[in-house]
Amino acid sequence: MKPEPAKPAMSVASAFHRTAISLRFSEIDTLREVTPKIKQSTKYAQIAASISEVGLIEPPVVAHHPAMPGRYLLLDGHLRIDILRSQGRDGISCLLATDDEAFTYNKRISRLAAIQEHRMILKLVEKKVPESRIARSLNIDVNTLQIKKRMLVGICPDAVEFLKDKPVNAKVFGVLRNMRPLRQIEVAELMVTMNRYTEGYVRALLAATPQAQIISDAKPKATKGLTEDQKVLMERESAQLDREVKLAHSAYGADHLMLVVARGYLARLLENPRIVRFLTQQRPEFLTEFRRIAEIDTMAA
């Protein structure tokens, strides 16, 4: 038997042109205004400090203006360009995108998560970069940098894996540190399932954690306004909620598929005038609900 010919590899379209282009700011049309309130934000100050200390790391992204040849739309990098303008620059090297839809582009940007920032700091420290310089580039003081360096001390690696690319507040890890590793994993998994990463939410889960799952050298739980009986009830109900959430999450994919198929089937039925006439005469309440379902464009993920 002759061997089957190898299948050609699937090509993936590039989102950017291979080379960057140098543009003057006068050639770039922004899509939104950088307001005075934004300029006073922590994020703006951090980007400005990083540019001043180490230069521009991520170039802005532009696309050809669909109606004005020779001009470009700014898809990403409004703060960076505003900062560079304020520093007296008149141009910048940009990535040229093949897609001019700013919403689609921004939706797929991966922002730096707390754990990723922590790992970046450790790598810089290993490379002997002065901590004072790292702190200046992040627009924080050295004491805050030390806290960020120790952020994952006492945190279970499996819990870190769950949260490594999530928008977790650094203070959350201080709360997780009071729990035993198995409970840390449970809480991290629940945070991902519920898509909630705030310190307040994790403190509520800590309050519902049995004392046996609290590390021995942690301070005893003291929750204002709750008696011991109420704490026991809260722990029991929290455990039950965890089980129900995980069960619902495991069945979500199949349920969502069935709903999408049902919606498509109902939409096809309602295209038939005879079926619509029958429902109007015999089951008008069904027709109302069927139309409501068929008009749903997308189901929330």
Side-chain angles (χ1 to χ4, degrees):
M1 294 179 62
K2 293 183 179 180
E4 295 183 1
K7 295 181 180 180
M10 295 179 63
S11 60
V12 179
S14 175
F16 306 99
H17 291 274
R18 291 182 178 273
T19 56
I21 58 173
S22 296
L23 297 175
R24 291 185 174 276
F25 294 143
S26 58
E27 300 176 280
I28 302 173
D29 293 330
T30 57
L31 299 179
R32 63 178 185 272
E33 179 187 3
V34 180
T35 64
K37 183 178 180 180
I38 293 176
K39 292 182 180 182
Q40 295 173 1
S41 66
T42 301
K43 179 180 178 182
Y44 188 94
Q46 288 177 335
I47 295 173
S50 176
I51 291 175
S52 298
E53 188 64 29
V54 299
L56 187 67
I57 298 174
E58 183 181 358
V61 180
V62 298
H64 287 293
H65 198 297
M68 302 175 65
R71 297 195 64 79
Y72 299 83
L73 295 175
L74 180 61
L75 304 185
D76 182 68
H78 287 74
L79 301 190
R80 279 164 276 164
I81 283 187
D82 186 83
I83 291 167
L84 291 170
R85 275 177 172 158
S86 68
Q87 294 178 349
R89 295 275 294 273
D90 61 358
I92 187 65
S93 180
C94 301
L95 293 177
L96 181 59
T98 56
D99 185 354
D100 64 354
E101 189 176 349
F103 173 77
T104 301
Y105 176 80
N106 288 319
K107 185 179 179 182
R108 285 162 174 76
I109 293 176
S110 296
R111 304 298 179 187
L112 187 64
I115 292 177
Q116 294 168 340
E117 182 188 53
H118 163 80
R119 290 173 175 171
M120 178 189 72
I121 290 172
L122 293 184
K123 287 184 178 180
L124 291 173
V125 171
E126 289 175 2
K127 293 180 179 180
K128 309 301 182 182
V129 178
E131 292 187 0
S132 57
R133 187 180 183 189
I134 299 173
R136 286 197 304 269
S137 67
L138 296 174
N139 196 38
I140 57 178
D141 57 39
V142 175
N143 290 335
T144 303
L145 180 68
Q146 293 289 344
I147 294 173
K148 288 179 177 289
K149 280 176 55 181
R150 299 190 298 268
M151 186 179 71
L152 298 184
V153 174
I155 304 300
C156 173
D158 290 334
V160 172
E161 186 65 22
F162 271 111
L163 303 173
K164 64 182 180 180
D165 57 351
K166 305 302 181 184
V168 184
N169 188 306
K171 294 180 180 179
V172 163
F173 297 101
V175 182
L176 282 175
R177 200 172 289 119
N178 295 314
M179 308 175 193
R180 294 190 179 278
L182 185 59
R183 180 57 176 169
Q184 289 181 10
I185 296 171
E186 291 176 350
V187 169
E189 187 176 6
L190 190 59
M191 289 166 66
V192 173
T193 301
M194 301 297 290
N195 195 31
R196 296 188 64 182
Y197 305 100
T198 63
E199 180 188 5
Y201 180 61
V202 179
R203 286 196 178 279
L205 294 177
L206 175 63
T209 299
Q211 194 65 44
Q213 296 184 38
I214 302 296
I215 61 174
S216 57
D217 56 344
K219 295 180 180 179
K221 293 188 301 177
T223 307
K224 295 181 180 180
L226 290 179
T227 65
E228 289 301 322
D229 290 341
Q230 289 173 326
K231 289 181 184 179
V232 171
L233 179 60
M234 187 176 179
E235 292 169 2
R236 185 165 60 248
E237 291 180 346
S238 177
Q240 178 64 23
L241 178 61
D242 288 356
R243 290 191 292 270
E244 291 176 356
V245 168
K246 290 176 182 178
L247 181 62
H249 189 260
S250 64
Y252 175 78
D255 291 346
H256 185 269
L257 177 61
M258 291 179 64
L259 287 171
V260 171
V261 172
R263 173 196 170 278
Y265 178 70
L266 289 175
R268 291 290 301 274
L269 285 181
L270 296 178
E271 292 175 359
N272 189 319
R274 294 178 60 188
I275 293 177
V276 173
R277 185 168 56 250
F278 172 82
L279 291 173
T280 302
Q281 296 172 352
Q282 304 295 329
R283 292 287 188 271
E285 68 280 8
F286 285 10
L287 179 60
T288 300
E289 294 302 320
F290 288 170
R291 280 176 171 163
R292 184 178 301 170
I293 295 172
E295 288 172 359
I296 298 175
D297 292 329
T298 57
M299 297 192 180

